[in-house]
Amino acid sequence: DVKVTQSSRYLVKRTGEKVFLECVQDMDHENMFWYRQDPGLGLRLIYFSYDVKMKEKGDIPEGYSVSREKKERFSLILESASTNQTSMYLCASSGLGILNNSPLHFGNGTRLTVT
Amino acid sequence: RKEVEQDPGPFNVPEGATVAFNCTYSNSASQSFFWYRQDCRKEPKLLMSVYSSGNEDGRFTAQLNRASQYISLLIRDSKLSDSATYLCVAGGSQGNLIFGKGTKLSVKP
C-alpha cells in the first residue's frame, strides 16, 4: 500500500517566518504534488514535480517554492509566511508518466496556521 | 467555465436510499477520471476510477459520458458510513489532475 507521509500534522508559524513542509513517499513514484485546500475553494495545485530536480508551477505558485532533491521527498517552502497562507496543505504522489494521469495518493495533510 | 464542476450539496438522504452525484468537466482531451472520498478533516482517498464503459464496485457505480463531458457516481443502499464529501476528478491539460470542489453527502438513520 502506498504511504505518503507529511512531517507535521499541525503547525503554527508567525508572519514572515520561513516554513518548510516535508513530504516523503515510499512507492518510488515519479510524480509528486503539493495542494492547498480551503473551504469553498476546494483543492488547488501549488506545484508539482515529475522527476528529481524538476518542478512545474501549478495554479497558485505565488509565495511558494519547492525542492525535489531525492525521488522520494518533495518539500514545500513558504519563503515568508503570511496569514493568507493559513490552510490545509496536502502532498500527493502518483506513479507512471505524468501524462498518464494516474490516481493520486495523498498524505494526511498539514494544517498550517500563520499568526 | 470552471474545469470540473459539481453540485456542492449537501445531499441529505435516509439510510438505504440511492443517491446520484453528477459532475461536468471542461477539458475535452481528458483521458483519466476518478471519484475520491474525503471525510471531515482527513485527506482525500481514491474511491474508484471511471472507465469509458462504466464500472461498478459493490454499491458504487461510475459512468462517463464523453460527448456531454459528464461523469456520475451512483451509490445504492446508502449507509451511515457513506457520509463524506465526494470529489470528482478529471485529467488536466498539463498532465495534472483537476479536482472538483466536492459534493457533501449526509446519510441519516
Side-chain angles (χ1 to χ4, degrees), chain A residues 29 93-96 100-105, chain B residues 32 34 36 46 49 97:
Chain A
H29 280 172
S93 73
S94 70
L96 303 178
N100 287 315
N101 289 158
S102 49
L104 302 184
H105 302 271
Chain B
S32 301
F34 307 98
Y36 277 71
L46 179 66
S49 301
L97 293 177

Side-chain angles (χ1 to χ4, degrees), chain A residues 15-113:
Chain A
T15 300
E17 277 193 81
K18 189 168 186 175
V19 182
F20 293 86
L21 302 183
E22 305 287 349
C23 175
V24 177
Q25 50 94 3
D26 66 357
M27 283 302 291
D28 202 35
H29 280 172
E30 287 82 7
N31 312 315
M32 296 188 75
F33 305 80
W34 275 106
Y35 288 86
R36 63 177 283 179
Q37 188 173 32
D38 302 285
L41 297 177
L43 278 160
R44 292 182 291 167
L45 182 63
I46 305 171
Y47 267 97
F48 63 103
S49 168
Y50 51 87
D51 203 352
V52 175
K53 296 193 186 295
M54 303 301 288
K55 61 185 179 184
E56 295 285 341
K57 291 180 180 179
D59 300 316
I60 51 162
E62 295 79 19
Y64 303 94
S65 61
V66 290
S67 172
R68 188 138 182 231
E69 295 297 317
K70 294 185 177 181
K71 190 175 185 180
E72 67 271 19
R73 187 180 295 270
F74 192 36
S75 303
L76 180 70
I77 304 151
L78 287 65
E79 295 290 342
S80 177
S82 63
T83 54
N84 64 10
Q85 292 179 308
T86 292
S87 186
M88 168 70 97
Y89 289 87
L90 289 156
C91 175
S93 73
S94 70
L96 303 178
I98 191 77
L99 294 178
N100 287 315
N101 289 158
S102 49
L104 302 184
H105 302 271
F106 285 89
N108 59 5
T110 296
R111 191 166 291 277
L112 173 67
T113 302

Side-chain angles (χ1 to χ4, degrees), chain B:
Chain B
R1 180 180 175 183
K2 293 177 188 170
E3 293 197 68
V4 175
E5 281 200 74
Q6 302 180 242
D7 182 339
F11 283 50
N12 297 308
V13 303
E15 267 187 294
T18 294
V19 60
F21 303 136
N22 303 316
C23 166
T24 56
Y25 62 95
S26 61
N27 179 14
S28 59
S30 287
Q31 295 296 319
S32 301
F33 307 92
F34 307 98
W35 282 100
Y36 277 71
R37 170 198 169 121
Q38 186 172 23
D39 294 291
C40 189
R41 303 182 80 81
K42 300 274 191 176
E43 75 275 20
K45 292 187 177 175
L46 179 66
L47 179 65
M48 59 197 300
S49 301
V50 185
Y51 302 119
S52 296
S53 53
N55 49 297
E56 191 173 302
D57 182 2
R59 297 181 294 109
F60 299 84
T61 300
Q63 300 247 311
L64 169 64
N65 183 325
R66 284 190 185 275
S68 302
Q69 294 180 208
Y70 170 98
I71 307 160
S72 66
L73 176 69
L74 186 76
I75 305 175
R76 289 182 299 280
D77 187 23
S78 51
K79 313 290 185 192
L80 296 177
S81 56
D82 293 333
S83 296
T85 296
Y86 291 83
L87 305 173
C88 173
V89 187
S93 53
Q94 285 183 278
N96 54 318
L97 293 177
I98 309 296
F99 285 76
K101 293 181 182 178
T103 298
K104 187 171 182 179
L105 171 67
S106 182
V107 182
K108 307 290 188 186

